[in-house]
């Protein structure tokens, strides 16, 4: 992988630009001002300036995992546009282990493509995910049997409580299912992420049955990195999860609901209520809890692919994605999300929770 540097090109975006322009949903009201920062120094400077003015500040990168309300944001929006990757010096004792540092604003799928091309294994099953590299530890992004928590070595962040830059280990990030120490707090501003990858022409062992079937291999097998990446992107594209301006199913925030995690008693109750619908697809967890397919719950509650309410609709390819067909407001999307949440709760007694970050809107 080659180093990439970005030239400073800070810009104030005209106020006439609504925040819809910066989200994959293409929804959201205006902000008082929108600023773009292309390196770490600019990011820190603008955060500090906003704090000095006691001005609300929203950080926005790829805009792929956020839903912004129709009233927009009553403050400044800082667009994270820092770019660059750097391969750090290897430990002679572990020559097959490579640490790659990526700036927060680097487009995630471009970064993954670079690691695959460089023969570095560990992120290939996270191909095709929209958004920026800096957002991945916040949500502990995962797909097809991989999570970034498995390869994050460190996160460099600006600590707003101390005014200093800190480097946090993976343990300090407190990773959990689709969560981290960064998820529900604005204390830290992610500046860069270090990923510890393995020098290998082969993927990590394939863990996800759907991906194994697509590849024509058994779960646990390894395949060439490029083959794994291509298969993952093909699966995601088939579900409308790879951005395509010509496909309205991709005008979404990705999976809108997380898979619910139930304790043993909750799992028993769900199976009883499922009745003739059959046993929900599920994944036992090491701590005795059970993760359940939200897509199955939604579908069996009467909300199938293509289900529409106003200008918002469930994707025609994937039940978990709520899409902007021709919505004129975020309120239309939120109304559909509430309808689905309430319907699932009534049918199965399980409450679904949103995966995207909601700004100035609630379900």
């Amino acid at each position: 992988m080659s180093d990439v540097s970005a030239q400073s090109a800070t810009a104030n975006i005209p106020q006439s630009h609504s925040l819809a322009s910066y989200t994959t949903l293409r929804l959201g009201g205006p902000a008082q001002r929108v600023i773009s920062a292309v390196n770490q120094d600019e990011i820190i400077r603008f955060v500090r300036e906003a704090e000095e003015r006691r001005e609300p500040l929203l950080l926005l990168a790829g805009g792929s995992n956020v839903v912004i309300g129709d009233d927009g944001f009553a403050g400044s929006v800082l667009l994270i546009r820092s770019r660059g990757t750097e391969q750090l010096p290897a430990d002679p004792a572990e020559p097959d282990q490579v640490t790659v540092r990526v700036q927060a604003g680097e487009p995630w799928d471009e970064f993954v493509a670079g690691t695959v091309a460089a023969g570095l294994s560990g992120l290939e099953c996270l191909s095709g995910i929209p958004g920026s590299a800096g957002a991945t530890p916040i949500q502990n992004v995962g797909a097809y049997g991989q999570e970034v928590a498995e390869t994050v070595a460190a996160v460099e962040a600006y600590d707003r409580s101390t005014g200093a830059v800190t480097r946090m280990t993976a343990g300090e990030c407190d990773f959990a299912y689709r969560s981290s120490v960064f998820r529900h707090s604005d204390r830290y501003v992610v500046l860069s992420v270090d990923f510890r990858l393995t020098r290998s022409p082969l993927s990590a062992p394939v863990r996800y049955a759907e991906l194994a079937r697509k590849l024509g291999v058994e779960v646990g097998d390894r395949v060439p990195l490029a083959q794994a990446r291509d298969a993952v992107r093909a699966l995601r594209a088939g579900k409308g999860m790879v951005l395509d301006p010509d496909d309205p199913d991709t005008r979404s925030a990705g999976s809108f609901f997380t898979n619910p995690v139930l304790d043993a008693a909750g799992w028993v109750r769900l199976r009883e209520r499922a009745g003739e619908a059959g046993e929900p697809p599920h994944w036992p967890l090491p701590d005795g809890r059970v993760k359940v397919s939200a897509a199955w719950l939604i579908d069996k509650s009467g909300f199938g692919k293509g289900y529409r309410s106003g200008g918002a609709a469930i994707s025609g390819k994937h039940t978990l994605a709520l899409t902007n067909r021709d919505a004129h407001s975020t309120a239309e999307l939120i109304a559909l999300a509430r309808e689905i949440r309430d319907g699932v709760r009534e049918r199965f007694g399980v409450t679904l929770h949103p995966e995207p970050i909601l700004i100035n809107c609630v379900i």
Side-chain angles (χ1 to χ4, degrees):
M1 300 180 66
S2 59
D3 292 355
V4 180
S5 61
Q7 297 298 315
S8 178
T10 305
N12 283 290
I13 311 298
Q15 291 186 20
S16 59
H17 285 238
S18 77
L19 296 179
S21 305
Y22 306 108
T23 70
T24 53
L25 267 169
R26 297 293 180 255
L27 292 172
Q32 291 181 359
R33 67 173 181 152
V34 180
I35 309 163
S36 178
V38 299
N39 58 48
Q40 291 190 12
D41 289 343
E42 289 187 351
I43 294 170
I44 294 170
R45 176 162 62 87
F46 284 124
V47 170
R48 286 174 172 167
E49 288 177 356
E51 290 173 343
E52 290 171 358
R53 293 193 299 267
R54 297 186 178 180
E55 177 184 36
L57 181 68
L58 172 64
L59 305 179
L60 198 61
S64 62
N65 190 49
V66 64
V67 181
I68 299 176
D70 296 314
D71 290 335
F73 185 74
S76 289
V77 172
L78 178 59
L79 302 177
I80 306 298
R81 298 293 184 258
S82 53
R83 300 288 298 267
T85 62
E86 175 188 3
Q87 188 168 307
L88 302 184
D91 182 347
E94 297 181 290
D96 291 337
Q97 298 300 303
V98 177
T99 299
V100 180
R101 179 168 298 164
V102 57
Q103 297 301 307
E106 187 77 11
W108 174 252
D109 194 47
E110 292 182 21
F111 172 61
V112 174
T115 65
V116 168
L120 301 178
S121 174
L123 300 177
E124 58 280 350
C125 290
L126 302 177
S127 294
I129 296 175
S132 68
T136 60
I138 296 173
Q139 189 192 357
N140 186 17
V141 164
Y144 296 103
Q146 286 183 345
E147 286 184 336
V148 295
E150 299 168 2
T151 50
V152 168
V155 174
E156 184 181 29
Y158 173 67
D159 186 343
R160 298 173 74 170
S161 69
T162 64
V165 174
T166 181
R167 187 168 299 280
M168 304 170 67
T169 65
E172 291 171 322
C173 293
D174 196 22
F175 288 121
Y177 173 60
R178 299 297 175 270
S179 183
S180 70
V181 71
F182 312 107
R183 170 79 186 195
H184 300 293
S185 169
D186 62 359
R187 174 178 173 177
Y188 298 105
V189 179
V190 175
L191 300 173
S192 69
V193 187
D194 291 355
F195 289 95
R196 188 172 174 80
L197 307 176
T198 302
R199 197 182 303 279
S200 171
L202 298 179
S203 70
V206 176
R207 301 174 185 166
Y208 206 77
E210 182 185 18
L211 177 58
R213 289 193 297 270
K214 179 72 173 178
L215 290 164
V217 301
E218 298 295 325
V219 171
D221 287 348
R222 304 175 70 191
V223 300
L225 287 172
Q227 186 178 346
R229 172 173 164 78
D230 290 345
V232 167
R233 284 183 57 86
L235 286 172
R236 291 185 63 86
K239 299 174 182 178
M241 295 292 189
V242 176
L243 294 180
D244 181 349
D246 297 324
D247 183 357
D249 275 334
T250 70
R251 200 154 55 234
S252 77
S255 296
F256 196 89
F257 296 104
T258 58
N259 291 321
V261 177
L262 308 178
D263 60 20
W267 170 235
V268 171
R269 288 193 297 270
L270 173 58
R271 294 176 68 186
E272 291 173 347
R273 294 187 68 156
E276 295 182 358
E279 186 168 275
H282 62 284
W283 301 270
L285 301 177
D287 62 4
R289 296 183 300 165
V290 179
K291 184 165 63 175
V292 179
S293 168
W296 187 92
L297 295 173
I298 293 168
D299 181 67
K300 298 302 181 182
S301 298
F303 305 101
K305 296 174 184 176
Y307 181 89
R308 183 163 180 158
S309 176
I314 294 176
S315 166
K317 302 181 182 69
H318 195 298
T319 316
L320 269 184
L322 306 190
T323 66
N324 170 14
R325 280 298 195 270
D326 51 20
H328 299 291
S329 67
T330 302
E332 294 178 70
L333 185 90
I334 293 297
L336 175 60
R338 288 175 181 157
E339 183 183 1
I340 294 169
R341 178 202 59 190
D342 294 346
V344 169
R345 185 163 52 200
E346 180 179 355
R347 171 66 179 86
F348 293 109
V350 175
T351 300
L352 298 180
H353 297 283
E355 183 167 323
I357 296 171
L358 306 183
I359 304 297
N360 208 8
C361 57
V362 294
I363 69 167

